[in-house]
Amino acid sequence: MAEECKYTDNPDDQGEMFECMGKLTDLIPHPYTNEEVAQAANSRALPSDLSLITNVQHGGVNYIYALLTGCTNAPAGVDIKEGLNYNLYFPRGSITMVQNIFDGIIKYEDEIPNTVLQIIKDVVAFLNWATEPEFDDCKKIGAKVALLFLLLIFIALWIKCNRWHIIKSSGPDLPVMYLDALEIFSKGNIAQVKQITPKWMVSNKNTGSNDPLISSCTPLHLAIQCPRKDIIVAILDLKLPMPIDTPDAQGMTAVTTEL
C-alpha cells in the first residue's frame, strides 16, 4: 500500500524537496491533513488510530471482527439519532461509522470468494499484522533461544555429572573419595593431584576418611597402580611424610614396585 503513494523526500542537490514513490518500510500516509478535516469528514467524530488497535482495544481482533460484522438495520422500537448508525456489537448500539464493506468490492487474484465475511477477516488479519509486523520474526528468534537454553541445560547437567563432582570433591573442607581420586590420577591432572594429596594425608592422619579405600592406601599407591610416572614425580615433589611401605587394599606396597 505504501508503494502506491508518493512521499516528500529529503532535499536534492539544489536544496529543494521532491516527491518519490514509497517503499515497503514507509508508513502509510494519513488520509487527512489535520484533525479538523478528519472530524468534518466523519460527523465531527475523530477517527481512531488503527496502527495499534488490536493491542489497545479490549477484545483485540475479536472486537474488531464483531464491530465490522455488526452493521445492520436497527430492530423495531430502537431509535437511532441522526448521523448515527446501528451496530449490533457496539457498546451503545449506535456508531458514526457506516457499513463500507460489501460483497465484491475487491477482487482476489486466486479463487477465494470475495464475500463480506472473507474481506472482513482479511482486514482484521492485516490490522493485527500492522500492529506488530515483527511478531513472526520474534517467535522464530524465541524458538531458537529456547533451543539454545535447552542445549545449555543439557551441557550444564553433563558438566555437573562428569566434571563438577571431581572439583567439588577436591574442596578444602570435603573428604577425598577413592573413585574421584582415581579419575583425577588416571587423567593425569597434576594440579588436582597436588591439591588433593595433602588433604588425603591430613584426613587419614587425623580422623580417617569415610571411604575405606582411601584410608587403606596413600596417593603414591594409587599413582603406581595407574601407572603414571609424572604423577609419581609430582607427589614426591610435595615432600610430604608418606609411609610408602604401607600395604594398600590389595596388599601391595610402593617400595615393591619398580618405577
Side-chain angles (χ1 to χ4, degrees), residues 57-75:
Q57 179 63 48
H58 178 70
V61 294
N62 294 327
Y63 169 80
I64 299 174
Y65 182 83
L67 186 67
L68 294 178
T69 56
C71 298
T72 182
N73 297 325

Side-chain angles (χ1 to χ4, degrees), residues 29-186:
H30 202 281
Y32 306 106
T33 56
N34 52 59
E35 293 185 359
E36 288 72 17
V37 175
Q39 290 176 338
N42 293 275
S43 302
R44 307 309 304 171
L46 184 64
S48 303
D49 182 9
L50 300 181
S51 60
L52 299 175
I53 188 65
T54 58
N55 279 356
V56 300
Q57 179 63 48
H58 178 70
V61 294
N62 294 327
Y63 169 80
I64 299 174
Y65 182 83
L67 186 67
L68 294 178
T69 56
C71 298
T72 182
N73 297 325
V78 177
D79 295 330
I80 303 298
K81 295 181 180 180
E82 184 179 356
L84 299 179
N85 301 277
Y86 179 75
N87 190 290
L88 180 62
Y89 300 106
F90 195 69
R92 292 183 295 273
S94 59
I95 188 173
T96 57
M97 181 185 72
V98 299
Q99 182 176 1
N100 47 26
I101 299 179
F102 304 94
D103 291 336
I105 61 173
I106 63 173
K107 184 178 181 180
Y108 293 101
E109 295 181 356
D110 47 19
E111 298 180 357
I112 297 178
N114 53 354
T115 60
V116 172
L117 294 181
Q118 181 61 48
I119 297 173
I120 291 177
K121 287 181 181 179
D122 293 338
V123 171
V124 174
F126 172 77
L127 291 176
N128 189 40
W129 172 85
T131 301
E132 293 182 294
E134 70 284 352
F135 183 69
D136 291 336
D137 293 334
C138 291
K139 289 196 298 184
K140 293 179 181 178
I141 295 175
K144 293 179 181 178
V145 171
L147 292 176
L148 177 60
F149 273 107
L150 185 62
L151 177 62
L152 292 177
I153 290 175
F154 280 113
I155 293 176
L157 292 175
W158 183 87
I159 292 176
K160 183 180 184 300
C161 296
N162 296 275
R163 291 296 181 266
W164 175 247
H165 74 282
I166 301 175
I167 302 175
K168 186 176 180 181
S169 64
S170 303
D173 299 328
L174 296 174
V176 180
M177 303 303 292
Y178 182 82
L179 293 180
D180 296 335
L182 179 60
E183 184 172 355
I184 293 174
F185 278 54
S186 300

Side-chain angles (χ1 to χ4, degrees), residues 199-220:
K199 186 176 66 171
W200 187 339
M201 299 307 301
V202 172
S203 176
N204 288 352
K205 180 179 179 182
N206 294 339
T207 59
S209 173
N210 295 328
D211 192 333
L213 293 176
I214 288 292
S215 302
S216 62
C217 67
T218 65
L220 192 56

